[in-house]
């Protein structure tokens, strides 16, 4: 079954988080998970003067956080889901990552914008994907709300980096009786830009074996899996295939430096541009980088 017993929903009260909130509450209702709505009282906001003699809980920023979490509590009540509100003071990125140690899944929204705006407004979600201790489900603000998991896409390269994501994706498919497409991308460049492993491995024949292995796993679980192999740039092909899907489940690692740029950037580029929600699952064998 889906291993999500404790779900965290970071929110700032903006419209960009609405779709994520609705999705997370729907999942909480189906799985019976404990749901927490968290808003971070961002200390950097206090560069704007306010009455410093007043208690922190009386500050406009703190009250705004209380309102944001209460909105999730009220929506949860309408859906029959109990939600625990949590307001903490600190830096949003650090607080969310620190809290991730206590949860099985983070569901968060990000801006559905392009260019510089996306880089600025989506940066927290992208860094949470990179550093969180648990899987992270990212839903852009311009994507439909509600819980829909009829079609699931699982990219794989046949390496350990995607194993955990495959397990999560197949369990999601079994829980929601969803159709699954497993995708592997044969690379054509000389520089390794795949999800993991060495570039010479990613021939069409190797990719056929990778998707065939997932199809075999699906059959053992009673899930019909459609294997697809294409040739091209990994992130671009995954993004293209995400059109028409309800959920994309993919793996990533926890490396830094060149290894991160080579292996981790595919997941982040996909999160920014995929045409459906993206669930990112870190390979358990990788070490979490420091922030």
């Amino acid at each position: 079954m889906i291993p999500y017993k404790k779900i965290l929903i970071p929110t700032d009260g903006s419209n960009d988080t609405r779709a994520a909130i609705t999705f997370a509450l729907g999942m909480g209702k189906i799985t019976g998970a404990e749901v927490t709505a968290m808003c971070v009282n961002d200390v950097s906001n206090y560069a704007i003067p306010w009455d410093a003699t007043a208690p922190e809980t009386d500050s406009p920023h703190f009250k705004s956080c209380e309102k944001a979490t209460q909105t999730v509590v009220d929506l949860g009540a309408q859906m029959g889901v109990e939600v625990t509100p949590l307001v903490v003071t600190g830096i949003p990125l650090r607080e969310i990552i620190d809290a991730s140690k206590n949860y099985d899944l983070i569901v968060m929204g990000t801006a559905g914008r392009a260019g510089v705006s996306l880089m600025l407004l989506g940066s927290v979600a992208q860094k949470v994907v990179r550093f969180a201790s648990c899987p992270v489900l990212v839903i852009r603000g311009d994507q439909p709300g509600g819980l829909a998991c009829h079609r699931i896409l699982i990219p794989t390269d046949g390496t350990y980096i995607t194993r955990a994501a495959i397990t999560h994706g197949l369990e999601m498919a079994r829980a929601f009786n969803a159709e699954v497409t497993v995708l592997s991308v044969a690379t054509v460049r000389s520089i390794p830009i795949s999800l993991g492993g060495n570039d010479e491995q990613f021939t069409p024949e190797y990719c056929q074996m990778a998707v065939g292995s997932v199809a075999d796993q699906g059959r053992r679980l009673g899930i019909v899996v459609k294997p697809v192999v294409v040739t091209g740039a990994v992130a671009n092909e995954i993004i293209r295939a995400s059109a028409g899907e309800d959920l994309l489940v993919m793996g990533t690692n926890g490396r830094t430096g060149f290894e991160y740029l080579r292996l981790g950037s595919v997941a982040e580029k996909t999160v920014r541009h995929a045409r459906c929600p993206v669930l990112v699952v870190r390979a358990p064998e990788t070490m979490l980088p420091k922030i």
Side-chain angles (χ1 to χ4, degrees):
M1 296 297 293
I2 300 176
Y4 308 138
K5 299 302 180 184
K6 298 185 68 176
I7 297 175
L8 178 66
I9 310 173
T11 180
D12 59 4
S14 70
N15 289 332
D16 289 325
T17 63
R18 290 281 181 170
I21 290 168
T22 305
F23 195 106
L25 291 175
M27 182 171 289
K29 184 171 184 177
I30 290 174
T31 63
E34 298 177 17
V35 179
T36 299
M38 175 184 183
C39 187
V40 180
N41 178 30
D42 191 347
V43 294
S44 64
N45 286 330
Y46 291 92
I48 302 173
W50 66 287
D51 184 2
T53 64
E56 180 187 84
T57 53
D58 290 340
S59 76
H61 302 301
F62 194 95
K63 289 186 177 298
S64 177
C65 283
E66 288 183 319
K67 181 179 179 181
T69 57
Q70 188 60 44
T71 297
V72 185
V73 171
D74 294 341
L75 183 56
Q78 295 173 22
M79 298 176 62
V81 179
E82 183 176 349
V83 178
T84 300
L86 175 64
V87 177
V88 298
T89 298
I91 302 298
L93 176 62
R94 290 186 178 276
E95 295 300 330
I96 295 170
I97 291 170
D98 186 59
S100 71
K101 302 169 187 175
N102 302 316
Y103 292 88
D104 303 311
L105 176 69
I106 293 175
V107 182
M108 65 187 304
T110 188
R113 305 181 188 182
V116 175
S117 294
L118 184 143
M119 291 178 66
L120 293 174
L121 298 175
S123 60
V124 172
Q126 292 174 47
K127 289 177 182 176
V128 170
V129 165
R130 185 176 175 188
F131 296 113
S133 299
C134 65
V136 181
L137 175 56
V138 179
I139 304 177
R140 292 204 317 271
D142 59 352
Q143 291 173 338
L147 183 63
C149 283
H150 305 299
R151 292 173 54 86
I152 296 176
L153 175 67
I154 307 175
T156 181
D157 62 1
T159 72
Y160 73 93
I161 290 176
T162 58
R163 274 185 216 144
I166 290 167
T167 299
H168 281 250
L170 291 178
E171 288 295 344
M172 289 281 282
R174 184 162 65 165
F176 295 101
N177 194 29
E179 300 176 5
V180 174
T181 297
V182 58
L183 172 72
S184 191
V185 182
T187 54
V188 294
R189 299 185 181 183
S190 58
I191 300 175
I193 56 169
S194 61
L195 293 176
N198 299 317
D199 185 60
E200 62 267 22
Q201 292 179 317
F202 299 98
T203 63
E205 294 77 17
Y206 176 86
C207 291
Q208 288 288 354
M209 288 191 293
V211 297
S213 174
V214 180
D216 290 341
Q217 288 181 248
R219 276 192 290 271
R220 291 194 291 270
L221 295 172
I223 302 167
V224 176
V225 177
K226 176 184 177 183
V228 175
V229 173
V230 297
T231 299
V234 179
N236 292 344
E237 294 302 328
I238 294 173
I239 292 165
R240 184 177 294 110
S242 69
E245 301 290 337
D246 297 315
L247 180 66
L248 192 163
V249 185
M250 69 182 302
T252 188
N253 60 15
R255 302 181 187 183
T256 56
F258 176 72
E259 288 298 305
Y260 164 73
L261 291 172
R262 189 180 70 170
L263 304 174
S265 60
V266 170
E268 288 194 10
K269 183 176 181 180
T270 302
V271 166
R272 290 198 303 271
H273 299 291
R275 291 153 193 172
C276 66
V278 181
L279 172 60
V280 181
V281 183
R282 176 176 287 105
E285 294 91 340
T286 58
M287 295 294 291
L288 284 171
K290 296 180 180 180
I291 59 171

